[in-house]
Amino acid sequence: GNSVTQMEGPVTLSEEAFLTINCTYTATGYPSLFWYVQYPGEGLQLLLKATKADDKGSNKGFEATYRKETTSFHLEKGSVQVSDSAVYFCALSRNTGKLIFGQGTTLQVKP
Amino acid sequence: EPEVTQTPSHQVTQMGQEVILRCVPISNHLYFYWYRQILGQKVEFLVSFYNNEISEKSEIFDDQFSVERPDGSNFTLKIRSTKLEDSAMYFCASRADGNTEAFFGQGTRLTVV
């Protein structure tokens, strides 16, 4: 079946450090891939998405590239800020629109 | 900017009671979803709804759960007889036709005591 696996958290970084959160997926066909972010006490917000192989999604300095050969969609940011502290969810969707989420990775950025 | 709204933000109920969680999806969206997130765990799909009927449901969505779109704007999730393990954050989401992006509400935190 379809599934998403994310790296275990929490990830603790200093401000301006480089961030990578790994995400790999298992799916039949060609899913769309997403990163959602959940700030403390808030709901889920779409951070970025990619709908086909080799697409790069980007938003607010975050990037992720849809790698079909490695079935991965790793999230990266060159310089994190304290305000980026949140839980990050990788997710996939097939043509039904149902989202399958990874377990989430907590990011803590310290000043 | 249009958004999905959910009410209430927090609901406390006694075990065995019925609860109704309410959602107002974005007005031109046609696909509606409920997800739940037990504290500290992943977000899990419950049910999807399109054209006034359930299009897909997970094994979590048993006979205790039901969804309804009673009018042109609301989308509700009912739990008939709540159990302690139903305590979770419940998220509503909606999606436009032809779009891959689902928009989520802020969630309703359900606490069953």
Side-chain angles (χ1 to χ4, degrees):
Chain A
N2 300 322
S3 67
V4 176
T5 302
Q6 290 179 235
M7 64 187 286
E8 294 277 342
V11 174
T12 303
L13 295 173
S14 297
E15 207 164 24
E16 299 184 2
F18 184 86
L19 168 72
T20 300
I21 301 178
N22 289 339
C23 170
T24 57
Y25 67 90
T26 302
T28 53
Y30 303 95
S32 294
L33 300 174
F34 305 83
W35 277 100
Y36 279 82
V37 58
Q38 186 179 30
Y39 296 105
E42 298 187 15
L44 295 164
Q45 298 174 30
L46 179 67
L47 181 60
L48 53 84
K49 67 178 183 181
T51 56
K52 60 183 189 296
D54 300 325
D55 267 3
K56 178 187 282 189
S58 61
N59 186 25
K60 298 181 182 180
F62 291 89
E63 292 182 341
T65 300
Y66 189 140
R67 301 282 187 205
K68 187 170 179 299
E69 63 277 12
T70 54
T71 62
S72 64
F73 194 55
H74 304 321
L75 183 69
E76 295 182 336
K77 186 175 185 182
S79 176
V80 293
Q81 306 300 312
V82 172
S83 57
D84 293 326
S85 298
V87 182
Y88 292 80
F89 292 93
C90 185
L92 69 81
S93 174
R94 298 281 288 114
N95 50 12
T96 65
K98 175 181 91 173
L99 286 162
I100 296 170
F101 287 88
Q103 64 267 44
T105 303
T106 299
L107 171 65
Q108 297 175 335
V109 180
K110 299 190 173 181
Chain B
E1 186 177 321
E3 58 181 15
V4 176
T5 56
Q6 291 184 242
T7 55
S9 55
H10 190 189
Q11 171 108 35
V12 181
T13 189
Q14 289 202 324
M15 192 168 52
Q17 294 297 302
E18 174 185 285
V19 293
I20 297 176
L21 309 184
R22 302 181 190 279
C23 170
V24 179
I26 294 173
S27 62
N28 63 339
H29 286 188
L30 299 179
Y31 298 85
F32 313 112
Y33 307 87
W34 283 100
Y35 293 82
R36 79 170 186 192
Q37 182 184 28
I38 294 172
L39 186 64
Q41 297 187 24
K42 68 165 66 176
V43 178
E44 301 172 290
F45 168 77
L46 291 178
V47 65
S48 58
F49 192 86
Y50 170 73
N51 200 25
N52 284 319
E53 60 183 28
I54 290 173
S55 46
E56 188 175 357
K57 59 183 181 179
S58 72
E59 55 274 14
I60 302 168
F61 195 88
D62 62 20
D63 291 346
Q64 292 300 310
F65 291 86
S66 62
V67 289
E68 197 175 37
R69 190 157 160 79
D71 52 44
S73 58
N74 289 284
F75 178 52
T76 62
L77 174 70
K78 181 193 293 186
I79 309 175
R80 266 181 263 285
S81 177
T82 50
K83 303 188 282 285
L84 294 176
E85 53 265 39
D86 293 326
S87 296
M89 181 75 90
Y90 288 81
F91 292 105
C92 173
S94 68
R95 179 174 69 88
D97 193 20
N99 196 328
T100 56
E101 179 180 351
F103 290 80
F104 282 77
Q106 296 290 85
T108 292
R109 179 167 298 285
L110 176 66
T111 303
V112 182
V113 298

